[in-house]
Amino acid sequence: MRVGRSLCCCFLVAAAFLAGPVIAAGRGLTFADLRRVASVRQPQISPDGKRVVYVRSRANFVKDRNQSELVLLDVASGASRVLTHDRIGATSPAWSPDGSSIAYVASATARKPGQIYVLRMDGGDSERITNAKTGIDSFAWRPDGKALAYVSDEEPPDKAAIDRHLDAVVITDDDYLTREAAQPAHLWTVNADGSSATRLAAGSWSVVKDAPPLWSPDGSRIYYQRQPDGIFAHFVAQTTYVHDFRAKTDLPLGVGVDGLQDVSHDGSMLALAMPRHGSLYLQSDLSVRSSADGRELFNSRGIDRNLHWAAWLPGDKSLAVATSDGVRNVLWTLASDGSSHRVDLGDVDFAPDATVARDGAIAFVGLRRDREPEIYYLPPGGSTPRLLSDDNAWLGGFQLGNVERIDWKIDNGMMANGVLTYPVGYVAGKRYPLVLDIHGGPVSTSTWDLSGIEAGELDQVLAARGYLVLRPNYRGSDNEGDAFLQAIVGDVTSGPGRDNLAAVDAVRKMGIVDEKRIGVSGWSGGGLQTSWLIGHATFWRAAVSGAAVDDWYQQAMLADINENFAETFFNGVRPFDAAGRKAYAAESPIAYVNAIRTPTLILSDTRDQRVPVAQSYVFYHALHDRGVPVRFTAFPRYGHFPTDPAGREQALRAWADWFDRWMK
């Protein structure tokens, strides 16, 4: 039950909550404190609704890796116990249909690919049931509990030649870091005891690797998502296929590009994420389709928010739906007549990481402004969630900055909003330095919860150092409906840039900003905005531009999202002719470097497949050659942001310390 891959460039997030700061004992947070954070994710509620298993991970700074384990919670008592002490990278837990076992993916050693293990709940150790040479991408239990379907990458067909160093790669839409040919993934089935592993179909096409297959309730069909081949960029063409065991067919559902979400309990309906404008980079609505012929029965257009997650509720008369809304992550119910109701969960926000039990109870990752994410339980038909886990209780000993929503008008007549965090110990009447922390995506939203070290956690560290922090939601954010999101098309950099300048003006008018100490920062799409903003305003005191799209032409050609990403946001314009080059240049920050005077820190991974690091090199030299105070720090890692504990903390410390250097 997913919308799709992380589709865009960035992976970082009216009424006021309080008039002043949150009152709590102790001091503000530091990066050293954040080493204690336990990350919780993938809650899976048992079929009877009595137990929840979830993944808990903590950073190990000695081994520089994130260590995860499965934890079992009893809903009634709240008692918990760890299930996997001796497995590496335990993830993706799934209850068997009868609740007697839990399947999950883990590795025997740090260098071996993950395999499916099954742990019986009546005792005993986990048993490995797969031996896939390339590991497991995703899996699902068959409804009778006697077998599982899983997705696994194919081995290179010319592996023997590659071993002899005959390893040249034919490049098509691969990213610039490609060193080996992308291999497709295919569907397999295996019995629950590990016997009879069988590949269902093969070809140059690929199963979408991070999209778990879904079984029909009678086990006669598997629904899965297929793309043309194994190249990442081609996920934009993904569509739902149906493998029918009885008819011995493997055919498309025939609805076009979509994102498979869930199968109704009676098997007659499929819940799909359907892109409203044909592109998975823009807004998707929930579309409920007949599993027999693919015709639409009803949809979520009345909600008018970009779909994040959906699941059927008991009786198949409605679905639970998750979206962003304003500065919150929220839960809706969508009825079969197309009507919807936003569920009031009080101070708890609903992360799109949840499961539904047979009785309608929901286990989900809950978000708040005053604590780290935890696992919550929502009883059937209820709206008052109950805290189940308490893995971050230590945070209660710290003082946090107050967080509130602000709103402002932008130049196209729409209203925008954002999240303002006050300094710890805020004193009314005093003026404070202001830092912008701009989300990327661009189809994303800054929400007011304390989640994500690049978002709420970073903001609280800055608040403890005495900063106001503003996270603006500019046009293109997915929190205010399709019209607000679509307003970015054709105006991909400059439109949001004007919105972010208007956001600064809105906070200035509150009379709380030290006008001589205003900084700007962001990662990916937020880095794009940072680089553009320092070329269009002179009041910035310091800037941190992380993994920035500084040159749209390079971005369109070299990234792993080179298929239709740039064209989508440039309204179909390609960059190859004179008009296209002119349009791309006009929206590229590198075109405005002559106007930049702001001391700038540039950050990037050296092997960033999403936003090629070459753009950061060019931007650095352009600033350095013009005498602008600039530092470029590169992290020797693969990926769009350092995911290892040491690299992540190092990047964020550099981020915060740059503002201290120039704004204190």
Side-chain angles (χ1 to χ4, degrees):
M1 288 168 275
R2 59 185 277 285
V3 173
R5 304 184 184 200
S6 297
L7 299 182
C8 300
C9 280
C10 160
F11 308 104
L12 304 180
V13 328
F17 171 46
L18 293 172
V22 172
I23 303 301
R27 56 174 174 79
L29 287 170
T30 67
F31 289 120
D33 298 320
L34 293 178
R35 290 186 171 200
R36 300 172 61 184
V37 170
S39 171
V40 302
R41 66 185 189 277
Q42 299 176 345
Q44 299 290 307
I45 194 165
S46 61
D48 61 9
K50 295 181 179 180
R51 294 170 293 178
V52 174
V53 62
Y54 69 99
V55 178
R56 179 173 66 196
S57 62
R58 291 187 171 92
N60 183 326
F61 279 83
V62 175
K63 296 182 179 180
D64 193 25
R65 70 186 188 198
N66 300 299
Q67 296 187 164
S68 63
E69 58 192 2
L70 301 188
V71 181
L72 183 68
L73 286 165
D74 181 78
V75 170
S77 67
S80 67
R81 63 185 176 95
V82 176
L83 297 177
T84 53
H85 292 282
D86 55 351
R87 303 295 174 198
I88 296 174
T91 188
S92 305
W95 290 93
S96 62
D98 64 0
S100 65
S101 303
I102 294 173
Y104 63 95
V105 175
S107 302
T109 69
R111 299 194 175 194
K112 289 189 176 181
Q115 304 292 342
I116 299 174
Y117 289 79
V118 174
L119 175 64
R120 289 194 56 83
M121 301 311 293
D122 57 4
D125 193 14
S126 300
E127 295 184 6
R128 179 172 57 82
I129 68 164
T130 62
N131 190 30
K133 292 183 179 179
T134 61
I136 305 298
D137 295 317
S138 60
F139 72 91
W141 285 95
R142 197 168 70 189
D144 63 5
K146 296 180 180 180
L148 301 94
Y150 66 88
V151 178
S152 183
D153 292 8
E154 295 293 320
E155 285 194 291
D158 54 349
K159 189 174 184 302
I162 292 172
D163 290 341
R164 298 196 307 273
H165 310 292
L166 301 175
D167 53 2
V169 181
V170 176
I171 300 296
T172 57
D173 291 328
D174 309 84
D175 66 79
Y176 79 112
L177 291 173
T178 297
R179 300 294 182 268
E180 57 188 27
Q183 299 303 319
H186 290 121
L187 270 175
W188 295 66
T189 58
V190 63
N191 291 334
D193 63 3
S195 64
S196 301
T198 304
R199 185 171 59 188
L200 299 184
S204 59
W205 54 269
S206 178
V207 177
V208 178
K209 298 177 182 181
D210 59 356
L214 297 176
W215 290 86
S216 63
D218 64 1
S220 67
R221 290 179 162 192
I222 296 179
Y223 300 96
Y224 68 96
Q225 291 198 269
R226 182 190 287 196
Q227 65 183 59
D229 52 38
I231 295 174
F232 179 87
H234 294 164
F235 78 88
V236 296
Q238 68 186 37
T239 189
T240 295
Y241 266 68
V242 187
H243 185 91
D244 192 310
F245 290 91
R246 293 172 181 169
K248 298 182 179 179
T249 58
D250 199 81
L251 299 171
L253 183 64
V255 300
V257 175
D258 72 272
L260 181 61
Q261 296 290 298
D262 202 6
V263 181
S264 63
H265 298 87
D266 66 4
S268 67
M269 294 177 285
L270 299 176
L272 306 175
M274 296 295 296
R276 187 178 291 200
H277 303 280
S279 172
L280 289 172
Y281 291 119
L282 300 173
Q283 177 155 315
S284 289
D285 301 297
L286 181 66
S287 176
V288 175
R289 304 272 177 152
S290 165
S291 60
D293 57 18
R295 64 188 173 88
E296 184 173 83
L297 305 175
F298 61 98
N299 60 55
S300 69
R301 285 197 171 213
I303 293 177
D304 191 26
R305 294 292 184 271
N306 188 40
L307 179 68
H308 293 173
W309 170 89
W312 286 99
L313 295 172
D316 293 337
K317 300 296 184 183
S318 61
L319 298 100
V321 174
T323 74
S324 294
D325 186 38
V327 297
R328 305 190 69 173
N329 287 298
V330 301
L331 173 67
W332 309 76
T333 56
L334 175 69
S336 57
D337 62 1
S339 62
S340 59
H341 168 70
R342 178 173 155 173
V343 182
D344 183 1
L345 300 178
D347 290 336
V348 180
D349 288 358
F350 188 92
D353 189 0
T355 50
V356 182
R358 289 172 182 162
D359 64 359
I362 301 176
F364 68 99
V365 175
L367 312 172
R368 292 174 57 109
R369 284 172 283 180
D370 59 352
R371 68 181 302 154
E372 290 283 344
E374 297 284 1
I375 305 300
Y376 285 79
Y377 171 83
L378 188 65
S383 61
T384 304
R386 177 158 58 89
L387 179 69
L388 287 185
S389 69
D390 200 13
D391 292 311
N392 292 293
W394 58 269
L395 188 64
F398 291 83
Q399 187 174 355
L400 302 180
N402 176 42
V403 179
E404 63 183 37
R405 169 177 170 161
I406 67 166
D407 295 78
W408 64 92
K409 193 172 185 178
I410 59 178
D411 62 5
N412 64 4
M414 294 180 173
M415 294 297 297
N417 55 56
V419 179
L420 181 63
T421 300
Y422 285 80
V424 171
Y426 171 77
V427 177
K430 183 178 177 181
R431 292 178 180 263
Y432 293 88
L434 171 67
V435 169
L436 266 67
D437 178 7
I438 306 173
H439 78 70
V443 181
S444 181
T445 292
S446 286
T447 51
W448 68 7
D449 50 86
L450 179 61
S451 65
I453 194 165
E454 304 91 358
E457 292 174 352
L458 172 62
D459 294 356
Q460 286 295 342
V461 171
L462 290 170
R465 297 186 182 194
Y467 295 97
L468 289 159
V469 186
L470 173 63
R471 283 190 285 142
N473 289 317
Y474 47 84
R475 70 189 74 182
S477 301
D478 69 347
N479 61 328
E480 291 295 330
D482 182 62
F484 188 75
L485 193 160
Q486 279 296 115
I488 196 175
V489 174
D491 219 7
V492 63
T493 310
S494 56
R498 295 191 299 272
D499 299 348
N500 291 328
L501 290 172
V504 174
D505 287 341
V507 182
R508 280 171 153 173
K509 291 175 182 177
M510 297 170 66
I512 58 177
V513 177
D514 181 340
E515 298 280 346
K516 295 182 179 180
R517 295 190 292 168
I518 302 176
V520 59
S521 62
W523 198 272
S524 191
L528 161 68
Q529 279 298 296
T530 298
S531 295
W532 187 91
L533 286 164
I534 59 178
H536 287 79
T538 59
F539 57 75
W540 307 109
R541 187 68 190 93
V544 179
S545 181
V549 178
D550 293 315
D551 182 339
W552 273 108
Y553 188 82
Q554 284 195 44
Q555 181 64 28
M557 299 299 103
L558 303 179
D560 69 344
I561 49 174
N562 59 70
E563 182 74 5
N564 294 328
F565 178 76
E567 302 96 295
T568 294
F569 291 99
F570 280 89
N571 212 15
V573 174
R574 294 286 285 167
F576 299 113
D577 58 23
R581 289 296 296 266
K582 183 178 179 180
Y584 279 55
E587 294 294 307
S588 296
I590 194 66
Y592 306 100
V593 292
N594 287 331
I596 297 175
R597 300 292 182 269
T598 306
T600 302
L601 173 65
I602 299 170
L603 302 172
S604 180
D605 282 356
T606 57
R607 293 177 291 156
D608 186 339
Q609 83 289 359
R610 186 62 40 83
V611 180
V613 70
Q615 299 180 66
S616 293
Y617 276 90
V618 173
F619 202 66
Y620 165 75
H621 285 294
L623 298 186
H624 182 267
D625 290 353
R626 285 159 177 78
V628 178
V630 61
R631 175 185 294 170
F632 177 19
T633 299
F635 302 93
R637 287 159 175 79
Y638 178 86
H640 191 43
F641 187 87
T643 57
D644 62 300
R648 184 173 61 239
E649 184 178 293
Q650 187 180 13
L652 292 167
R653 282 184 182 273
W655 189 327
D657 290 348
W658 188 257
F659 288 124
D660 283 353
R661 174 180 174 181
W662 293 98
M663 292 174 58
K664 282 293 184 74

